[in-house]
Amino acid sequence: TTLVLSNNSLGDLGARAIAKSLSINSTITKLNMHTNDIGPNGAEQIAGSLSHHLTITHLDFNHNPILQKGASCFAAVLETN
């Protein structure tokens, strides 16, 4: 299942809500969060939920200002999953 939420200006608050929903959903395999103004804190929230979500095989966070902190959070999840 693909979830496309691109271009919705979700920000970090929206990312937190998505992170919560990912923690109880095991059917999503592709998540597109392209261009949502998600910063490092939102990326950290989503990365944290992905550590328990083993079905996602594709993640698109292009054009979000996640900076090094957010990228490091995703990298840490990739190392363990």
Side-chain angles (χ1 to χ4, degrees), residues 28-57:
I28 295 173
T29 57
K30 296 180 182 180
L31 179 62
N32 184 334
M33 300 291 288
H34 186 279
T35 314
N36 271 301
D37 199 31
I38 295 171
N41 293 330
E44 183 176 18
Q45 293 287 318
I46 291 181
S49 70
L50 292 178
S51 65
H52 305 290
H53 197 292
L54 303 177
T55 59
I56 291 184
T57 59

Side-chain angles (χ1 to χ4, degrees), residues 11-13 15-16 19 36-48 61 63-75:
D12 288 343
L13 186 60
R16 186 178 325 142
N36 271 301
D37 199 31
I38 295 171
N41 293 330
E44 183 176 18
Q45 293 287 318
I46 291 181
F61 262 77
H63 303 286
N64 284 291
I66 64 171
L67 306 175
Q68 181 65 36
K69 178 184 174 187
S72 295
C73 292
F74 285 123

